[in-house]
Amino acid sequence: MDYAFDFAGAVFKVFGVIGILVLLTAGCSFLLFRFLGSRWLESKFSERLEAYKHAQNKELERVKYEMNSLFDRSSKIRQYEYETLPETWRQLVEAFYHARDLTSGLRQYVDISRISDDRLKSLLERQNFQPHEVEDVISSHNKLDVYRRITDAKHFGIANDKVYEFRIRLKKYGIFINKPLEQKLEALDDLINTAMIEMEMGLQGIGSGSKHEKALELRQKGGALMTEVKEEIHKHLWSVEMR
């Protein structure tokens, strides 16, 4: 019996020591794994955090670049508009008032019926009549009618040049003008041109130019539109300047 207890004690001692060794080995392995695993996780986390920060910085730079580009484009458009509006207004005023006065039917002429040919020739030359036009007036049996016809044609040419200059400018630079204002400018351009066409047809003896329907429409609607355009341009120029 004592032998059996001794044998069991010996076995326990052997396997007890092995068990303790196994436990110690397992504990050390766990601690080592935990230490190394923690370092690996920290390393991976740092890598991903840096990659995320880099991606965020790139996105912020992209957004910043797009915002700066948009701001630059907006600034340039406002600058073009600021530079375009004053000259557009100047050309509109010249076109409108030349056309309105020409088509009003209230034109006044010098009474040449009682002027001698020498004085008449001098007068016509001062008014930039060409030599053949001077001859046409002087040699005519109805000098006043010929004088009026040539004078109207000259004034029409001057007014038509002003109207053409404004129309071309509006087509070239209208893209830099805000849409509501551009539409009002186009409406004025249409009123001016239809009145001028009516006037031209009257000068050529075509149609019913004597009714002056389009000329009347230009005076009635055009005047109100001119006031609206003037106020909008003035307001817009000051708002652009204050930005």
Side-chain angles (χ1 to χ4, degrees):
M1 180 66 69
D2 291 335
Y3 175 78
F5 279 110
D6 291 339
F7 178 78
V11 170
F12 175 77
K13 289 180 179 179
V14 172
F15 284 98
V17 171
I18 294 175
I20 291 171
L21 290 174
V22 170
L23 288 175
L24 288 173
T25 302
C28 290
S29 298
F30 174 74
L31 292 173
L32 181 63
F33 173 77
R34 184 176 181 182
F35 174 73
L36 294 177
S38 176
R39 294 292 299 273
W40 182 82
L41 288 174
E42 288 177 1
S43 175
K44 287 297 181 182
F45 178 77
S46 297
E47 288 178 6
R48 293 190 178 183
L49 182 60
E50 287 300 319
Y52 175 76
K53 288 180 178 179
H54 181 67
Q56 286 294 99
N57 288 334
K58 286 182 65 176
E59 180 65 16
L60 287 173
E61 287 296 323
R62 183 188 67 80
V63 172
K64 182 179 178 181
Y65 174 79
E66 290 182 356
M67 290 181 66
N68 287 336
S69 298
L70 183 62
F71 178 77
D72 289 342
R73 288 197 299 271
S74 178
S75 298
K76 288 178 180 178
I77 290 173
R78 288 199 299 270
Q79 182 63 29
Y80 282 134
E81 184 179 37
Y82 183 77
E83 294 172 354
T84 295
L85 286 176
E87 182 62 18
T88 301
W89 171 251
R90 184 191 68 78
Q91 291 189 0
L92 169 62
V93 168
E94 292 191 357
F96 176 79
Y97 287 106
H98 271 85
R100 190 200 66 175
D101 294 346
L102 179 69
T103 61
S104 65
L106 301 175
R107 297 181 300 280
Q108 296 182 346
Y109 307 91
V110 177
D111 184 4
I112 64 172
S113 60
R114 299 179 182 180
I115 300 178
S116 66
D117 289 350
D118 290 339
R119 288 184 59 194
L120 178 57
K121 180 180 180 182
S122 178
L123 171 67
L124 297 177
E125 287 174 348
R126 289 199 303 272
Q127 294 182 359
N128 297 320
F129 274 56
Q130 297 297 316
H132 69 276
E133 294 171 336
V134 174
E135 182 62 27
D136 288 343
V137 174
I138 293 176
S139 63
S140 175
H141 294 295
N142 195 334
K143 293 181 174 62
L144 185 57
D145 285 348
V146 176
Y147 171 73
R148 287 176 175 174
R149 177 176 56 79
I150 296 175
T151 300
D152 286 346
K154 286 181 175 297
H155 289 168
F156 179 85
I158 294 171
N160 201 45
D161 287 344
K162 300 295 183 182
V163 171
Y164 179 76
E165 288 174 4
F166 168 66
R167 166 164 281 194
I168 292 300
R169 182 170 188 84
L170 186 58
K171 289 185 179 297
K172 288 174 65 175
Y173 298 103
I175 191 172
F176 301 117
I177 301 173
N178 69 80
K179 198 63 180 176
L181 179 56
E182 183 188 13
Q183 290 174 343
K184 290 182 179 181
L185 291 170
E186 289 174 343
L188 274 166
D189 179 59
D190 185 60
L191 287 171
I192 292 169
N193 274 280
T194 53
M196 289 293 289
I197 291 171
E198 181 184 68
M199 174 71 182
E200 185 176 21
M201 292 176 65
L203 292 175
Q204 296 176 358
I206 303 172
S208 54
S210 59
K211 292 183 179 180
H212 302 296
E213 294 174 355
K214 299 302 180 181
L216 180 62
E217 188 175 6
L218 174 62
R219 291 196 300 276
Q220 292 177 343
K221 294 183 179 180
L225 264 177
M226 284 291 289
T227 300
E228 292 180 18
V229 167
K230 179 182 178 181
E231 291 176 354
E232 285 196 30
I233 289 178
H234 184 271
K235 179 180 178 181
H236 202 67
L237 284 175
W238 279 100
S239 67
V240 170
E241 190 175 70
M242 295 300 291
R243 289 174 188 172

